[in-house]
Amino acid sequence: MTGTSGLRSGRVPVRAVDDEPPFDLPGMGPGSPPSRSPGRSPGRSSGRSSGRSPGRPSGRRSLRARLLLSIGATLAAVCAAMALTTVLVQRAYLLGNLDDRVTDAAEHSLGGAALHPELDRDLTFLGERGHPAGMLAARLDAHGRVLAAALVDEDAPPRNLTAAQSAALAHLAADGSPHTRSVPGLGAYRVTALEADGVRVLAGLPMGDVQELIGRLVRVESGVAAAGLTAAGCVCAVVVRRQLRPLGRVAATAVAVSHAPLGRGEDTALTRVPERDTDPGSETGQVGAALNRMIDHVESSRAERRRSEERMRRFLADASHELRTPLASIAGYAELMNRGTDRGGEPLLAWRRVSVESARMTGLVEDLLLLARLDEGRPLQSAEVDLAALVAEAVWDARAAGDGHDWQLDLRLGAPAVVVGDEARLHRVVANLLANVRTHTPAGTTVVVTVETTTGARDASCVVRVRDDGPGIPSDLLPSVFERFTRGDASRSRAAGTAGGSGLGLAVASAITTAHGGRIDVHSEPGRTEFTVELPIAADAVTAAAKSGPRGIGDGDTEDVVRPEGARRADRPAGQVVRTER
């Protein structure tokens, strides 16, 4: 059906011809097979066929050959134009000189013929001296017919012309203009005719000397042009070859990079363009520098991909281990309960341990789910949150959970510490930072939590700082402290059920802060570690602060503001100190 439908409809199938042959890369000769996309048959293409037979070489020449052809054609055209101009100018000069001599000879002959005007066939004036050898002269009638014609020979009397030779000189206007006539047996002549008092005389001189000189000039010009073109072609070939060497090295580098096994995950160093071929002052240098930059981008992308894959493998391994540990505990205690025992306390203890491990596994799964949602950019709840009260509540909770530390709260508010965001998530950020301090610092460590607002002409922010005087974070751990499953102990083993964390607390805090348009940072050294969380203040709070002027949270009843809701003044623990600054 497909072979006859075109004929039945009256349309003739036309094969599209690709008028853009593929670019020849170095190392691919005319016989190299063309590359094909996978999944396509050799005889078909996506939109149009190439129009070439498989064995036909490409018509695209190399850049070097095209440059040499272009330069050679240009030089040949210039040489030909110069030679043609020289020949034409020289020919015009020689013909002008010859025309002057012909005119002089015609005037001399007309003067001799005018002595006997009644003798219309008289050519006795040719016997006088002063006529050059080879000159011919003729008497013409009123109609331009030749009445008598003779040729001046050297050392011999004038010789009459034959009828054929005379016919070649007939019908010439006696206006004094030079003409070229071919006289049989004598060659080309430059002739002119003059008239005076009814006497018409024709005179002519041979053009052999002029033609021979012009021919010799043409031969000399051709020889010189050929020699010059040959020398210029050799010089140009050497110069073009030398000038294209950097481009060849750049192309070789590109071919080497294209052949590198980038998709196999092998750590292969890519070849770069030599420094001498990256001079920005030349086009080749610009291409070489651009290729090196592209190679740098490729290698950085490969390195980032390897790091990402490594982080993903470690993430999966850590997540699998963190989930396997409580699952193993649950399975073990469940097996213990299934066996049954005479002692009544063991099933109850096993059930408690199952509950603890289930809660631990639930928290881990919830953290992973929260990170996944934040990575996807899912919107959070948005409402105005008093960050000072939120931090005070978190400090109160931390004091209750870790009474071995000295907890202090420092409020430095120049404006209401009101931010827009998800209150529960923001509480999670502060709680994770405090839990991290409580877990990884010894008892007796002083922890100072500072809430500070800054207002400026362009932006306003609320900064929460958590500072402690503990041993600090190892320097090799600082760059990855906010990554998932990052722990001070690199091993995955745990001493007891709740000993140590899963390594997700700071990652969750960083993700929540970023989702609120803020930033989180850490600076640590032995004896001082400080986490900084910066969040933008709500626009309404900035406007209210601008109207009311700077104030501290201590204006009024400070303790009622910083104390958790429902707590009495006497309930404040002894280790908690609250300072306010205006």
Side-chain angles (χ1 to χ4, degrees):
M1 295 296 294
T2 58
T4 59
S5 59
L7 296 178
R8 291 178 179 177
S9 60
R11 297 189 299 268
V12 179
V14 179
R15 183 179 64 178
V17 179
D18 190 358
D19 55 354
E20 298 179 357
F23 181 75
D24 292 339
L25 291 176
M28 294 182 61
S32 301
S35 59
R36 300 187 180 96
S37 301
R40 295 180 182 177
S41 59
R44 301 177 65 89
S45 62
S46 59
R48 54 182 182 178
S49 60
S50 62
R52 301 189 185 96
S53 61
R56 184 179 301 175
S58 173
R60 183 71 62 87
R61 295 184 176 88
S62 66
L63 178 61
R64 183 183 306 160
R66 282 182 284 161
L67 284 175
L68 289 178
L69 287 176
S70 301
I71 294 174
T74 303
L75 290 177
V78 171
C79 291
M82 293 178 61
L84 182 61
T85 302
T86 302
V87 170
L88 292 178
V89 170
Q90 187 66 21
R91 182 176 181 276
Y93 173 76
L94 293 177
L95 285 180
N97 190 15
L98 181 61
D99 290 342
D100 294 338
R101 292 165 53 200
V102 170
T103 302
D104 292 342
E107 291 177 351
H108 190 194
S109 300
L110 181 60
L115 297 177
H116 304 282
E118 70 282 357
L119 302 177
D120 55 1
R121 298 178 181 270
D122 181 39
L123 296 176
T124 55
F125 56 85
L126 292 179
E128 300 176 0
R129 293 184 179 181
H131 297 292
M135 170 187 167
L136 58 79
R139 297 288 298 271
L140 305 177
D141 60 9
H143 301 285
R145 291 190 294 267
V146 178
L147 302 177
L151 175 67
V152 178
D153 288 331
E154 187 176 359
D155 299 331
R159 175 169 54 88
N160 293 329
L161 299 182
T162 63
Q165 293 173 344
S166 298
L169 303 175
H171 306 291
L172 190 66
D175 53 2
S177 59
H179 300 273
T180 301
R181 294 294 177 90
S182 179
V183 182
L186 298 179
Y189 266 74
R190 193 71 169 174
V191 297
T192 185
L194 298 177
E195 179 182 6
D197 297 333
V199 179
R200 294 187 179 186
V201 176
L202 179 146
L205 292 176
M207 298 180 61
D209 294 342
V210 174
Q211 292 178 341
E212 182 180 357
L213 184 58
I214 295 298
R216 187 183 305 169
L217 181 61
V218 169
R219 290 191 295 271
V220 171
E221 291 281 353
S222 300
V224 172
L229 285 176
T230 302
C234 295
V235 173
C236 289
V238 174
V239 172
V240 169
R241 184 181 183 87
R242 290 177 62 88
Q243 294 299 320
L244 289 183
R245 282 179 182 175
L247 185 59
R249 291 191 291 266
V250 172
T253 302
V255 172
V257 172
S258 67
H259 291 166
L262 300 179
R264 301 178 185 175
E266 301 178 2
D267 191 7
T268 305
L270 299 180
T271 306
R272 280 176 169 75
V273 179
E275 187 68 23
R276 57 180 176 175
D277 298 331
T278 58
D279 182 14
S282 64
E283 290 78 2
T284 302
Q286 295 173 8
V287 174
L291 182 59
N292 279 350
R293 288 194 297 270
M294 185 189 70
I295 294 174
D296 292 338
H297 294 334
V298 170
E299 288 198 336
S300 63
S301 300
R302 294 175 65 202
E304 180 62 27
R305 185 181 66 179
R306 287 195 297 269
R307 288 192 296 267
S308 177
E309 292 175 352
E310 180 63 27
R311 288 195 299 266
M312 179 59 67
R313 286 193 293 268
R314 184 167 182 82
F315 171 80
L316 293 176
D318 289 336
S320 300
H321 180 81
E322 293 293 338
L323 292 174
R324 184 184 64 180
T325 301
L327 285 175
S329 299
I330 292 173
Y333 286 113
E335 181 66 21
L336 180 61
M337 289 187 294
N338 288 334
R339 290 178 182 177
T341 178
D342 295 338
R343 290 174 290 183
E346 289 188 359
L348 180 60
L349 176 61
W351 179 253
R352 290 177 179 175
R353 295 305 304 166
V354 167
S355 299
V356 170
E357 295 298 336
S358 298
R360 177 184 175 186
M361 184 171 62
T362 301
L364 177 62
V365 172
E366 289 180 349
D367 287 343
L368 293 176
L369 182 60
L370 175 61
L371 289 172
R373 289 176 176 174
L374 294 176
D375 290 341
E376 293 176 357
R378 293 189 181 182
L380 300 173
Q381 294 182 3
S382 180
E384 290 189 353
V385 180
D386 187 350
L387 204 59
L390 184 146
V391 172
E393 182 180 353
V395 173
W396 179 272
D397 295 340
R399 167 66 180 80
D403 55 359
H405 291 68
D406 182 14
W407 301 93
Q408 299 181 11
L409 177 61
D410 187 5
L411 302 179
R412 303 180 180 183
L413 306 180
V418 178
V419 299
V420 176
D422 190 330
E423 182 176 2
R425 303 303 185 196
L426 292 176
H427 185 276
R428 180 77 176 275
V429 172
V430 181
N432 284 3
L433 293 179
L434 298 179
N436 181 73
V437 175
R438 186 180 68 250
T439 303
H440 298 288
T441 57
T445 301
T446 300
V447 184
V448 179
V449 183
T450 304
V451 181
E452 179 181 357
T453 57
T454 60
T455 57
R458 295 185 178 179
D459 54 1
S461 60
C462 181
V463 181
V464 179
R465 292 185 175 89
V466 179
R467 185 177 70 254
D468 67 80
D469 57 357
I473 302 174
S475 58
D476 58 341
L477 196 64
L478 276 176
S480 59
V481 72
F482 293 109
E483 294 182 3
R484 300 165 190 184
F485 294 109
T486 298
R487 296 183 295 265
D489 182 11
S491 65
R492 297 191 179 98
S493 61
R494 295 289 181 269
T498 58
S502 62
L504 292 178
L506 294 181
V508 170
S510 176
I512 294 176
T513 303
T514 303
H516 282 81
R519 65 180 184 88
I520 187 171
D521 197 6
V522 61
H523 175 74
S524 180
E525 59 186 17
R528 179 183 175 86
T529 299
E530 183 175 277
F531 285 88
T532 303
V533 177
E534 182 177 354
L535 296 169
I537 292 182
D540 296 341
V542 177
T543 304
K547 292 180 179 180
S548 62
R551 67 179 182 87
I553 212 169
D555 295 347
D557 193 353
T558 302
E559 296 178 351
D560 290 340
V561 175
V562 300
R563 189 174 61 252
E565 186 177 323
R568 297 185 304 274
R569 185 170 306 184
D571 296 335
R572 175 172 300 163
Q576 184 179 10
V577 178
V578 177
R579 297 193 300 271
T580 62
E581 293 186 3
R582 296 177 183 268

